[in-house]
Amino acid sequence: MRSIRPPFAARRGRSARRRTSPVLAAVGLTAALALTATACNSGDDKASGEPTASATQSGDDKIKIPDDIKNKLKQHGIDIDKWKNGAWKNWNKDDWLREADDFINPIIKGLWDPDRMRGADDPDKNKGVDDNDLSGDQGVTDPEPAPVTAQAVKTAYHANVPEAGKVFFDSPEGTMVCSATVVEDPAHPGKSNLVWTAGHCVHAGKKGGWYRNIAFVPSYNDSGKAAAQLEKATRQEVAPYGVWWSDWAQTSDQWIEQGGSTGGQGAPYDFAVLHVTPEKGSGGKSLEETVGSALPVNFNAPAVPKVSSITATGYPAAAPFDGQKLYQCADKPGRLSVAQSDPTMYRIGCTMTGGSSGGGWVATGSDGKPALVSNTSIGPVKFGWLAGPRLGDVAKGVYDSVSKKFAGQ
């Protein structure tokens, strides 16, 4: 996790450049292009392409990319043909895009096959928070909660937590995995394509850049098969509601500038919103229509003393878990502060480990209905509790920006 920051890890790359107004980090420049992988197991992808709305296909089945997209990619030193043939695996620090408007995530069809998904690792392995990270403002840090044993979600997962799923991505350290949640889109009521996760699941923070091949799989392993059974599982069994690639992503400027691979650095701003599109056709249906549900997001959740219970959901991957099954913890939250100048975080007792990062935290709102109020960000080196950011104005700005970007589409 970071120690629970379980996403992933890699924090090599150019150091962050300080902005004069570190408020929001809009993610731009997504290549609207689909590539078909033919060698997904090894990652040495040699592909022919299929067009999306922004790419056309010639009679010889070769992709024709609009000149404006080609030019934008070239501005970032990216040759799309080389990228689809494996150049995305080049993590040279001088070429690793990190700024808010540098996000590029071309679809590589078939890349996320069952074996690759099953083998994805916890990005926060052997990383975590120690006591030195929590010395900022003990006045608003409550005593450490007692561990709450994570409970396996009953199958089918879709029947019980249809909004939950996994986020897969590639980092310099390999194939990684986090958890995530389908959330409502105010610009498209009932037809959302928005996914909420942790910032460290999409961007490495102050010493790195954007991760690559970011994709969301709702209701991963819906029937709860054991790891051994999944070795022979079909893609339909592993991803029954499809693979949805992020064509736009946004996290906070604070995470980009402050986020660290261990400890609590940037944790109060460790959240991200993805806009996704299906790898394969969805019959015109949105993600929300496909899974049948999306959670509202509460950016004005009550203070900790007024919250009776929060439920955290995720796919813990670090021992004693294996990342293949969905779990939940429910507990009355306490407060955790990692720095005097940063917002106080929620903290609950929970034995989920790395891989659960980014998973949604849900509380009952004043209307009696469940709403997303946080996401898993950090945990201790030795599991026993989780902490997540309180979602305020910065989080709402990230969310609104992604929603407005696609409001007219």
Side-chain angles (χ1 to χ4, degrees), residues 76-233:
H76 291 276
I78 294 175
D79 181 302
I80 196 62
D81 290 321
K82 292 181 179 179
W83 184 273
K84 71 182 182 181
N85 285 313
W88 64 264
K89 291 180 281 189
N90 174 17
W91 295 95
N92 183 290
K93 66 179 182 180
D94 293 326
D95 298 324
W96 192 5
L97 305 179
R98 64 160 280 103
E99 301 302 328
D101 59 354
D102 286 348
F103 182 78
I104 296 174
N105 195 50
I107 294 174
I108 302 177
K109 286 192 173 182
L111 178 67
W112 292 110
D113 64 10
D115 288 340
R116 205 163 190 268
M117 285 189 246
R118 189 177 67 254
D121 205 354
D122 160 26
D124 298 321
K125 182 179 291 185
N126 301 322
K127 299 173 183 177
V129 175
D130 60 40
D131 292 340
N132 292 329
D133 295 310
L134 309 180
S135 60
D137 188 355
Q138 297 299 323
V140 291
T141 292
D142 295 319
E144 182 175 323
V148 172
T149 301
Q151 301 295 314
V153 174
K154 293 181 179 180
T155 56
Y157 298 151
H158 180 261
N160 293 287
V161 195
E163 307 88 1
K166 279 192 172 190
V167 167
F168 294 93
F169 58 95
D170 283 298
S171 80
E173 296 180 353
T175 301
M176 300 293 175
V177 64
C178 277
S179 301
T181 307
V182 183
V183 294
E184 293 180 352
D185 181 354
H188 297 283
K191 298 182 178 181
S192 175
N193 284 309
L194 301 186
V195 174
W196 193 282
T197 190
H200 74 268
C201 297
V202 300
H203 193 286
K206 63 182 178 181
K207 292 186 178 180
W210 294 104
Y211 294 127
R212 298 169 184 170
N213 302 326
I214 300 171
F216 175 66
V217 176
S219 296
Y220 171 83
N221 187 23
D222 190 39
S223 61
K225 293 181 182 295
Q229 294 175 304
L230 288 174
E231 292 180 5
K232 297 182 179 179

Side-chain angles (χ1 to χ4, degrees), residues 293-336:
S293 185
L295 286 174
V297 184
N298 187 352
F299 296 103
N300 191 29
V304 167
K306 296 182 179 180
V307 181
S308 60
S309 180
I310 285 180
T311 299
T313 301
Y315 286 86
F321 306 95
D322 62 11
Q324 307 309 316
K325 296 184 179 182
L326 188 65
Y327 286 82
Q328 290 182 322
C329 288
D331 192 20
K332 180 175 177 57
R335 296 165 293 183
L336 174 67

